[in-house]
mmCIF file of all heavy atoms in Angstrom:
data_model
loop_
_atom_site.group_PDB
_atom_site.id
_atom_site.type_symbol
_atom_site.label_atom_id
_atom_site.label_comp_id
_atom_site.label_asym_id
_atom_site.label_seq_id
_atom_site.Cartn_x
_atom_site.Cartn_y
_atom_site.Cartn_z
ATOM 1 N N PHE A 519 -16.185 42.048 -95.506
ATOM 2 C CA PHE A 519 -17.081 42.022 -96.651
ATOM 3 C C PHE A 519 -16.376 41.997 -97.999
ATOM 4 O O PHE A 519 -17.006 41.962 -99.048
ATOM 5 C CB PHE A 519 -18.061 43.208 -96.578
ATOM 6 C CG PHE A 519 -17.378 44.516 -96.395
ATOM 7 C CD1 PHE A 519 -16.946 45.279 -97.455
ATOM 8 C CD2 PHE A 519 -17.142 45.013 -95.104
ATOM 9 C CE1 PHE A 519 -16.275 46.483 -97.280
ATOM 10 C CE2 PHE A 519 -16.497 46.219 -94.890
ATOM 11 C CZ PHE A 519 -16.075 46.956 -95.974
ATOM 12 N N ILE A 520 -15.036 42.044 -97.994
ATOM 13 C CA ILE A 520 -14.294 42.096 -99.280
ATOM 14 C C ILE A 520 -12.858 41.652 -99.051
ATOM 15 O O ILE A 520 -12.365 41.735 -97.900
ATOM 16 C CB ILE A 520 -14.341 43.519 -99.865
ATOM 17 C CG1 ILE A 520 -13.909 43.514 -101.357
ATOM 18 C CG2 ILE A 520 -13.467 44.495 -99.024
ATOM 19 C CD1 ILE A 520 -14.259 44.774 -102.082
ATOM 20 N N ASN A 521 -12.193 41.165 -100.094
ATOM 21 C CA ASN A 521 -10.743 40.959 -100.004
ATOM 22 C C ASN A 521 -10.081 42.333 -100.038
ATOM 23 O O ASN A 521 -10.264 43.100 -100.983
ATOM 24 C CB ASN A 521 -10.221 40.056 -101.151
ATOM 25 C CG ASN A 521 -10.819 40.319 -102.481
ATOM 26 O OD1 ASN A 521 -11.947 40.819 -102.582
ATOM 27 N ND2 ASN A 521 -10.109 40.057 -103.557
ATOM 28 N N GLU A 522 -9.311 42.598 -98.989
ATOM 29 C CA GLU A 522 -8.769 43.954 -98.826
ATOM 30 C C GLU A 522 -7.754 44.332 -99.882
ATOM 31 O O GLU A 522 -7.442 45.513 -100.062
ATOM 32 C CB GLU A 522 -8.154 44.089 -97.407
ATOM 33 C CG GLU A 522 -9.134 44.023 -96.261
ATOM 34 C CD GLU A 522 -9.569 42.596 -95.903
ATOM 35 O OE1 GLU A 522 -9.023 41.653 -96.480
ATOM 36 O OE2 GLU A 522 -10.483 42.486 -95.064
ATOM 37 N N ASP A 523 -7.215 43.336 -100.608
ATOM 38 C CA ASP A 523 -6.277 43.676 -101.663
ATOM 39 C C ASP A 523 -6.934 44.030 -102.973
ATOM 40 O O ASP A 523 -6.255 44.255 -103.988
ATOM 41 C CB ASP A 523 -5.284 42.492 -101.875
ATOM 42 C CG ASP A 523 -5.994 41.208 -102.336
ATOM 43 O OD1 ASP A 523 -7.227 41.128 -102.151
ATOM 44 O OD2 ASP A 523 -5.316 40.303 -102.820
ATOM 45 N N ALA A 524 -8.265 44.163 -102.973
ATOM 46 C CA ALA A 524 -8.939 44.634 -104.157
ATOM 47 C C ALA A 524 -8.479 46.057 -104.454
ATOM 48 O O ALA A 524 -7.994 46.763 -103.571
ATOM 49 C CB ALA A 524 -10.455 44.627 -103.955
ATOM 50 N N TYR A 525 -8.643 46.489 -105.688
ATOM 51 C CA TYR A 525 -8.364 47.876 -106.093
ATOM 52 C C TYR A 525 -9.158 48.813 -105.159
ATOM 53 O O TYR A 525 -10.311 48.540 -104.797
ATOM 54 C CB TYR A 525 -8.792 48.062 -107.547
ATOM 55 C CG TYR A 525 -8.854 49.450 -108.063
ATOM 56 C CD1 TYR A 525 -7.725 50.240 -108.101
ATOM 57 C CD2 TYR A 525 -10.055 49.989 -108.505
ATOM 58 C CE1 TYR A 525 -7.802 51.538 -108.589
ATOM 59 C CE2 TYR A 525 -10.120 51.274 -109.013
ATOM 60 C CZ TYR A 525 -8.972 52.036 -109.030
ATOM 61 O OH TYR A 525 -9.042 53.336 -109.525
ATOM 62 N N HIS A 526 -8.563 49.944 -104.795
ATOM 63 C CA HIS A 526 -9.204 50.824 -103.815
ATOM 64 C C HIS A 526 -10.564 51.367 -104.284
ATOM 65 O O HIS A 526 -11.412 51.689 -103.465
ATOM 66 C CB HIS A 526 -8.257 51.953 -103.413
ATOM 67 C CG HIS A 526 -7.851 52.836 -104.539
ATOM 68 N ND1 HIS A 526 -8.384 54.065 -104.769
ATOM 69 C CD2 HIS A 526 -6.892 52.676 -105.499
ATOM 70 C CE1 HIS A 526 -7.833 54.630 -105.832
ATOM 71 N NE2 HIS A 526 -6.929 53.786 -106.305
ATOM 72 N N GLY A 527 -10.759 51.433 -105.587
ATOM 73 C CA GLY A 527 -12.066 51.840 -106.080
ATOM 74 C C GLY A 527 -13.132 50.754 -105.904
ATOM 75 O O GLY A 527 -14.313 51.019 -105.793
ATOM 76 N N ARG A 528 -12.656 49.499 -105.893
ATOM 77 C CA ARG A 528 -13.617 48.385 -105.665
ATOM 78 C C ARG A 528 -13.949 48.306 -104.169
ATOM 79 O O ARG A 528 -15.136 48.163 -103.808
ATOM 80 C CB ARG A 528 -12.972 47.090 -106.129
ATOM 81 C CG ARG A 528 -13.913 45.880 -106.086
ATOM 82 C CD ARG A 528 -13.241 44.694 -106.770
ATOM 83 N NE ARG A 528 -14.018 43.471 -106.599
ATOM 84 C CZ ARG A 528 -15.019 43.102 -107.340
ATOM 85 N NH1 ARG A 528 -15.429 43.905 -108.325
ATOM 86 N NH2 ARG A 528 -15.656 41.970 -107.134
ATOM 87 N N SER A 529 -12.959 48.459 -103.295
ATOM 88 C CA SER A 529 -13.293 48.416 -101.862
ATOM 89 C C SER A 529 -14.061 49.687 -101.490
ATOM 90 O O SER A 529 -14.996 49.636 -100.676
ATOM 91 C CB SER A 529 -12.029 48.243 -101.003
ATOM 92 O OG SER A 529 -10.956 48.972 -101.516
ATOM 93 N N GLY A 530 -13.715 50.831 -102.106
ATOM 94 C CA GLY A 530 -14.473 52.059 -101.848
ATOM 95 C C GLY A 530 -15.927 51.896 -102.246
ATOM 96 O O GLY A 530 -16.820 52.311 -101.501
ATOM 97 N N HIS A 531 -16.116 51.289 -103.397
ATOM 98 C CA HIS A 531 -17.482 51.034 -103.868
ATOM 99 C C HIS A 531 -18.228 50.132 -102.868
ATOM 100 O O HIS A 531 -19.390 50.381 -102.552
ATOM 101 C CB HIS A 531 -17.450 50.419 -105.260
ATOM 102 C CG HIS A 531 -18.783 50.170 -105.871
ATOM 103 N ND1 HIS A 531 -19.538 49.033 -105.634
ATOM 104 C CD2 HIS A 531 -19.520 50.946 -106.704
ATOM 105 C CE1 HIS A 531 -20.654 49.102 -106.322
ATOM 106 N NE2 HIS A 531 -20.697 50.241 -106.972
ATOM 107 N N ALA A 532 -17.528 49.103 -102.426
ATOM 108 C CA ALA A 532 -18.167 48.154 -101.492
ATOM 109 C C ALA A 532 -18.530 48.831 -100.172
ATOM 110 O O ALA A 532 -19.577 48.556 -99.573
ATOM 111 C CB ALA A 532 -17.226 46.956 -101.260
ATOM 112 N N ILE A 533 -17.660 49.718 -99.704
ATOM 113 C CA ILE A 533 -17.965 50.424 -98.437
ATOM 114 C C ILE A 533 -19.144 51.373 -98.616
ATOM 115 O O ILE A 533 -20.100 51.356 -97.825
ATOM 116 C CB ILE A 533 -16.723 51.229 -97.944
ATOM 117 C CG1 ILE A 533 -15.559 50.314 -97.608
ATOM 118 C CG2 ILE A 533 -17.082 52.095 -96.738
ATOM 119 C CD1 ILE A 533 -14.234 51.023 -97.339
ATOM 120 N N LEU A 534 -19.121 52.142 -99.702
ATOM 121 C CA LEU A 534 -20.169 53.140 -99.914
ATOM 122 C C LEU A 534 -21.519 52.475 -100.203
ATOM 123 O O LEU A 534 -22.535 52.805 -99.583
ATOM 124 C CB LEU A 534 -19.790 54.109 -101.046
ATOM 125 C CG LEU A 534 -20.778 55.270 -101.164
ATOM 126 C CD1 LEU A 534 -20.474 56.306 -100.093
ATOM 127 C CD2 LEU A 534 -20.709 55.898 -102.529
ATOM 128 N N HIS A 535 -21.524 51.572 -101.161
ATOM 129 C CA HIS A 535 -22.808 51.025 -101.628
ATOM 130 C C HIS A 535 -23.261 49.833 -100.797
ATOM 131 O O HIS A 535 -24.449 49.647 -100.589
ATOM 132 C CB HIS A 535 -22.688 50.625 -103.106
ATOM 133 C CG HIS A 535 -22.501 51.799 -104.027
ATOM 134 N ND1 HIS A 535 -23.533 52.463 -104.591
ATOM 135 C CD2 HIS A 535 -21.364 52.400 -104.430
ATOM 136 C CE1 HIS A 535 -23.077 53.455 -105.338
ATOM 137 N NE2 HIS A 535 -21.741 53.430 -105.269
ATOM 138 N N GLY A 536 -22.299 49.028 -100.328
ATOM 139 C CA GLY A 536 -22.705 47.798 -99.622
ATOM 140 C C GLY A 536 -22.821 48.015 -98.113
ATOM 141 O O GLY A 536 -23.609 47.317 -97.456
ATOM 142 N N GLN A 537 -22.053 48.957 -97.577
ATOM 143 C CA GLN A 537 -22.004 49.089 -96.120
ATOM 144 C C GLN A 537 -22.474 50.492 -95.665
ATOM 145 O O GLN A 537 -22.163 50.917 -94.547
ATOM 146 C CB GLN A 537 -20.571 48.841 -95.614
ATOM 147 C CG GLN A 537 -19.936 47.576 -96.118
ATOM 148 C CD GLN A 537 -20.780 46.323 -95.783
ATOM 149 O OE1 GLN A 537 -21.490 46.270 -94.747
ATOM 150 N NE2 GLN A 537 -20.720 45.296 -96.622
ATOM 151 N N GLY A 538 -23.192 51.179 -96.532
ATOM 152 C CA GLY A 538 -23.725 52.495 -96.122
ATOM 153 C C GLY A 538 -22.635 53.534 -95.873
ATOM 154 O O GLY A 538 -22.891 54.518 -95.170
ATOM 155 N N GLY A 539 -21.443 53.290 -96.372
ATOM 156 C CA GLY A 539 -20.372 54.272 -96.154
ATOM 157 C C GLY A 539 -19.670 54.123 -94.817
ATOM 158 O O GLY A 539 -18.996 55.022 -94.356
ATOM 159 N N ASN A 540 -19.828 52.933 -94.175
ATOM 160 C CA ASN A 540 -19.212 52.755 -92.833
ATOM 161 C C ASN A 540 -18.332 51.519 -92.798
ATOM 162 O O ASN A 540 -18.799 50.400 -93.025
ATOM 163 C CB ASN A 540 -20.340 52.595 -91.794
ATOM 164 C CG ASN A 540 -21.068 53.869 -91.609
ATOM 165 O OD1 ASN A 540 -20.496 54.933 -91.432
ATOM 166 N ND2 ASN A 540 -22.390 53.807 -91.712
#
Side-chain angles (χ1 to χ4, degrees):
F519 51 89
I520 194 164
N521 42 333
E522 292 79 6
D523 61 342
Y525 168 62
H526 60 101
R528 186 171 172 84
S529 39
H531 183 274
I533 295 171
L534 188 79
H535 294 270
Q537 310 302 330
N540 293 309

